[in-house]
Amino acid sequence: MSYSVDKTEDEWREELGADQYAVLREAATERAWTGELLDESRAGLYTCGACGAELFKSGTKFDSGCGWPSFYESIRPDAVQLIEDTTLGMVRTEVRCANCGSHLGHVFPDGFGTPTGDRYCMNSIALNFTPEES
């Protein structure tokens, strides 16, 4: 698939720190309960840590108890790309930024009590957060 943001892996390596590169470009996962955005509760906007594309609104964030920031829907259906992931001996749905193809996390159908029933389980390091101005 082609993306609006098209960079070489060398360019990504130069722009992203080692930990961000591992998650965003190599689909690594940050350790649970360690992400800076896990307990973020201010109103604002979550964007892709690689390209800055808008991904999630704070109003869709909820405490799922899983150790990673969770959202019940993306800002727009076309903001993210959903891909079947069969690594680690299971079938999951990977979530990538539709603008640059960077790995964000996975979505699961266990967002009980949310309007969509989905839990977008995102890596904090894959996101940037901009609080709303008061």
Side-chain angles (χ1 to χ4, degrees):
M1 175 170 187
S2 65
Y3 298 98
S4 296
V5 175
D6 183 27
K7 298 180 182 182
T8 67
E9 290 309 307
D10 287 337
E11 289 172 317
W12 285 121
R13 271 189 194 88
E14 286 180 27
E15 290 181 24
L16 304 170
D19 292 339
Q20 260 195 317
Y21 182 85
V23 170
L24 288 161
R25 304 306 302 169
E26 298 178 322
T29 302
E30 68 188 356
R31 286 189 1 240
W33 309 105
T34 63
E36 289 183 23
L37 298 175
L38 177 62
D39 296 320
E40 178 59 65
S41 59
R42 295 174 291 173
L45 184 65
Y46 292 85
T47 57
C48 177
C51 73
E54 296 181 351
L55 299 171
F56 300 97
K57 290 182 180 178
S58 60
T60 65
K61 188 172 190 263
F62 68 102
D63 182 3
S64 68
C66 72
W68 291 275
S70 298
F71 304 85
Y72 61 78
E73 69 183 352
S74 60
I75 199 163
R76 295 178 318 282
D78 63 348
V80 295
Q81 177 186 20
L82 305 179
I83 299 170
E84 183 178 282
D85 176 1
T86 57
T87 61
L88 305 177
M90 62 182 96
V91 178
R92 303 179 291 173
T93 303
E94 179 185 6
V95 180
R96 291 187 188 172
C97 172
N99 195 50
C100 71
S102 290
H103 173 80
L104 304 169
H106 291 84
V107 62
F108 302 96
D110 61 3
F112 306 116
T114 69
T116 63
D118 290 331
R119 174 175 57 96
Y120 284 80
C121 184
M122 303 291 97
N123 290 285
S124 282
I125 201 166
L127 303 173
N128 288 322
F129 175 73
T130 305
E132 281 183 9
E133 294 181 20
S134 352

